[in-house]
Amino acid sequence: IFILGGGVPASYADPPSYVKSRCDAAAQVFIRCGQLLAKKGGTKEDQIPAILTLSAGTAHMPQLLSSDGLPIWESTASAAYLMDQ
């Protein structure tokens, strides 16, 4: 499952609301696949899709920086948001 980024995150795990919606939808698909797999008795590794967050930033907006001065990529914020859910 590919989650497209877009927009500068407000913080490390806080992507824009429209990206959060994409993350939430991907999480629902991921969870539903796990539920269906459990009903069938299949193996988790063979059936559940992977989630890949995309996007690094834009040249048109300043990049959010961490406390140590490193960029917080849009994809990192999306992945952290998913992990927190």
Side-chain angles (χ1 to χ4, degrees):
I1 302 169
F2 294 103
I3 302 174
L4 303 178
V8 178
S11 69
Y12 176 74
D14 190 15
S17 60
Y18 51 89
V19 177
K20 287 180 185 177
S21 295
R22 296 172 192 168
C23 292
D24 294 340
Q28 288 175 358
V29 170
F30 183 85
I31 290 166
R32 184 67 181 139
C33 285
Q35 291 169 341
L36 292 172
L37 182 62
K39 282 184 180 180
K40 292 181 180 181
T43 61
K44 188 178 192 178
E45 293 78 20
D46 295 333
Q47 307 274 333
I48 293 182
I51 295 178
L52 180 64
T53 59
L54 304 174
S55 198
T58 178
H60 305 287
M61 299 285 293
Q63 184 69 40
L64 178 65
L65 299 176
S66 67
S67 60
D68 57 357
L70 297 173
I72 297 174
W73 307 116
E74 294 169 16
S75 56
T76 302
S78 296
Y81 172 79
L82 280 168
M83 297 300 290
D84 286 349
Q85 299 306 308

